[in-house]
């Protein structure tokens, strides 16, 4: 079973961060430029929140707020649920399903290492299953 560290090692997606004072519009621009569905909200080197596409839709669009004048701090999810690099993909998928999250920051000893998405985890689980099937087919064929 793959660990979160193994998943992060296979990703080349940059860490995208904003500050709580940045506008939602600025955060959306960074998300679009990096093709990610969430940005981490950092304040003085500390992870204080996460802003996702879902936060934007629910707390800006549906409430009629202006993206340019709404600070990230007004819509971000905080406190942030994090995972460690040693946790397993299936464990994180279960956590995401229970909490209805799509992104989990990865933190080790207070250091932010990256973010895993539900897509990253699903891909990992599917790849594991394909490898197991290949091994079983090789065993049966021998």
């Amino acid at each position: 079973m793959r660990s979160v560290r193994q998943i992060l090692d296979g990703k080349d997606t940059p860490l995208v961060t904003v500050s709580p004072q940045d506008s939602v519009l600025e955060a959306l621009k960074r998300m679009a430029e990096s093709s990610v569905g969430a940005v981490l909200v950092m304040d003085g080197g500390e992870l204080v929140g996460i802003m996702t596409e879902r936060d934007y839709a629910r707390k800006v669009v549906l409430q009629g707020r202006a993206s340019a004048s709404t600070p990230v701090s007004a819509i971000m999810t905080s406190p942030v649920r994090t995972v460690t690099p040693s946790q397993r993909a299936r464990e994180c998928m279960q956590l995401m399903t229970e909490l209805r999250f799509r992104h989990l920051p990865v933190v080790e000893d207070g250091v932010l290492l990256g973010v895993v998405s539900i897509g990253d985890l699903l891909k990992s689980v599917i790849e594991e299953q394909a490898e197991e099937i290949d091994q079983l087919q090789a065993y049966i064929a021998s």
Side-chain angles (χ1 to χ4, degrees):
M1 194 176 311
R2 290 196 178 117
S3 70
V4 170
R5 181 173 304 283
Q6 290 170 311
I7 294 169
L8 283 180
D9 288 346
K11 289 178 66 168
D12 64 359
T13 306
L15 222 67
V16 183
T17 64
V18 296
S19 76
Q21 298 80 24
D22 286 340
S23 72
V24 169
L25 182 59
E26 178 61 32
L28 291 171
K29 286 179 183 178
R30 289 187 191 167
M31 289 168 66
E33 289 167 356
S34 302
S35 296
V36 295
V39 291
L40 300 170
V41 185
M42 305 291 290
D43 191 16
E46 182 182 345
L47 178 64
V48 295
I50 186 168
M51 188 192 103
T52 67
E53 294 166 330
R54 185 182 287 178
D55 291 325
Y56 172 69
R58 289 181 177 169
K59 299 173 186 173
V60 176
V61 174
L62 292 178
Q63 293 183 9
R65 292 175 151 174
S67 300
S69 61
T70 302
V72 169
S73 61
I75 71 159
M76 69 185 187
T77 298
S78 182
V80 183
R81 184 66 187 255
T82 63
V83 293
T84 65
S86 62
Q87 287 182 265
R88 299 290 173 204
R90 290 176 194 235
E91 178 185 356
C92 293
M93 279 189 66
Q94 181 177 355
L95 180 64
M96 286 181 163
T97 302
E98 289 170 3
L99 299 174
R100 296 189 180 262
F101 286 171
R102 293 185 178 159
H103 304 86
L104 288 171
V106 183
V107 177
E108 183 175 48
D109 298 326
V111 177
L112 179 63
L113 302 177
V115 175
V116 289
S117 69
I118 190 75
D120 297 330
L121 298 172
L122 185 57
K123 178 182 177 205
S124 174
V125 169
I126 290 171
E127 287 173 351
E128 277 183 23
Q129 289 176 344
E131 289 168 7
E132 289 173 11
I133 290 169
D134 290 344
Q135 290 172 356
L136 288 171
Q137 287 176 334
Y139 175 75
I140 291 169
S142 63

